[in-house]
Amino acid sequence: MTTWWRFSLQRYPPAKYVFYVFLLVAAVLTTLAPLRAGSGPGPVEVACGWAGAFTLLYFFRVVDEIKDLPYDREFSPARPLVTGDVTTADIRTYGTGSAVAALAFSAVAGLGPLIVAAGAMSYSLLLFLAERKSARFADSMWGNIVVTIQLKTILVLYVVAVGGGGEVLPTGLLVVSFLFGYLHWEIARKTMRREFERRGEKLYSTAAGWRGGASVALVLLVVACGLQAVVALVWDDAGLETLLLALPLPITAWGLAKLARSREKRYAPGNPALLAYVVFLAACTLRTLP
């Protein structure tokens, strides 16, 4: 138990992920509510949906720990699996436990969430096998992200399933919006100037340059905010509260501007992009409150 707790504190800090999953579930369910015909999920379904999403993310983290072990030995030597603080047997136990918990919570949330949860974990294991079998897949950052980011799509669809779904077109736009909001952070945190890259390091800027990575990250956030605004204005009859959706943009822009000036030290704009993503989720939730 002590080893599991140390591992979780380092690789899946509970307070951080409780906050994140709460925001994500709140943002998806509140933006989905105006698109739904009939009543939404009850408090028990919502609580179990939140717990299911939380344990699904834990399962993804456990699989990533094993999948990334060869890379972490060189570039993240303090990771618990590298240092020997936990073993691969421990990790498998944590993965099994989180899988059982995710399925149990999802079953209470509904048949839809249960099916999506099972599919999400199966897809995560499929990605693990793909990286082990194909060096080209593992080493291609831009090709890899197109496939691996679908785990995030499935996670958002999981919350949509908890909420009971909604009109197809606006719901689809919301799913893409949340996906792009997350993806902008994922790319920003692995983008830096060429002179500070370490040989063999997996960065999006390696292939596209720091300007390319920064541009993609900013465009993704703009599109994410724009799609939310379209759904709000067209399907939700929103007003001035839609302006809240512009709040994340200057935060990421500030981080990217700092990247452009960082000529003397290793810097990636991950923290500003993460803050922008959190503000994005909060803005989506607050916009829909009465």
Side-chain angles (χ1 to χ4, degrees), residues 156-169:
V156 176
L157 289 174
Y158 176 83
V159 184
V160 170
V162 171
E167 293 183 53
V168 174
L169 178 57

Side-chain angles (χ1 to χ4, degrees), residues 202-283:
K202 293 182 179 180
L203 299 170
Y204 295 103
S205 50
T206 301
W210 70 266
R211 290 183 180 86
S215 299
V216 170
L218 185 59
V219 167
L220 285 169
L221 183 61
V222 170
V223 174
C225 295
L227 290 176
Q228 286 283 341
V230 167
V231 173
L233 294 170
V234 176
W235 281 276
D236 194 16
D237 196 26
L240 289 177
E241 65 270 21
T242 307
L243 294 175
L244 288 170
L245 297 169
L247 292 177
L249 299 175
I251 301 174
T252 285
W254 167 71
L256 298 180
K258 187 176 178 182
L259 171 66
R261 298 192 301 268
S262 62
R263 299 182 181 279
E264 297 179 0
K265 64 178 181 179
R266 180 179 166 88
Y267 171 77
N271 287 337
L274 177 59
L275 176 59
Y277 177 51
V278 169
V279 171
F280 169 75
L281 294 176

Side-chain angles (χ1 to χ4, degrees), residues 43-254:
V44 173
E45 287 78 10
V46 171
C48 286
W50 173 88
F54 183 84
T55 47
L56 272 177
L57 278 174
Y58 191 95
F59 179 86
F60 297 160
R61 166 50 54 208
V62 165
V63 173
D64 275 351
E65 288 300 301
I66 300 177
K67 176 171 64 70
D68 296 339
L69 180 58
Y71 182 81
D72 289 341
R73 285 195 177 109
E74 182 174 357
F75 294 102
S76 302
R79 295 276 173 88
L81 195 54
V82 178
T83 62
D85 192 38
V86 297
T87 66
T88 52
D90 293 329
I91 293 290
R92 291 191 187 100
T93 300
Y94 306 158
T96 301
S98 58
V100 171
L103 292 174
F105 286 126
S106 301
V108 178
L111 179 60
L114 178 61
I115 293 172
V116 177
M121 290 187 286
S122 299
Y123 188 71
S124 177
L125 294 174
L126 182 64
L127 291 177
F128 170 77
L129 293 175
E131 289 207 14
R132 283 294 176 91
K133 297 294 183 181
S134 172
R136 175 177 291 184
F137 175 79
D139 295 338
S140 174
M141 288 295 287
W142 290 99
N144 186 284
I145 191 63
V146 171
V147 179
T148 57
I149 197 60
Q150 301 315 317
L151 274 178
K152 194 68 178 182
T153 304
I154 298 171
L155 183 65
V156 176
L157 289 174
Y158 176 83
V159 184
V160 170
V162 171
E167 293 183 53
V168 174
L169 178 57
T171 299
L173 294 178
L174 289 178
V175 170
V176 173
S177 171
F178 288 116
L179 176 66
F180 281 10
Y182 171 85
L183 187 55
H184 111 275
W185 168 68
E186 172 66 21
I187 290 175
R189 75 188 184 94
K190 294 182 180 179
T191 293
M192 63 179 57
R193 299 180 71 93
R194 182 71 48 94
E195 57 265 36
F196 300 114
E197 294 180 9
R198 291 180 288 183
R199 184 177 178 83
E201 193 170 16
K202 293 182 179 180
L203 299 170
Y204 295 103
S205 50
T206 301
W210 70 266
R211 290 183 180 86
S215 299
V216 170
L218 185 59
V219 167
L220 285 169
L221 183 61
V222 170
V223 174
C225 295
L227 290 176
Q228 286 283 341
V230 167
V231 173
L233 294 170
V234 176
W235 281 276
D236 194 16
D237 196 26
L240 289 177
E241 65 270 21
T242 307
L243 294 175
L244 288 170
L245 297 169
L247 292 177
L249 299 175
I251 301 174
T252 285
W254 167 71

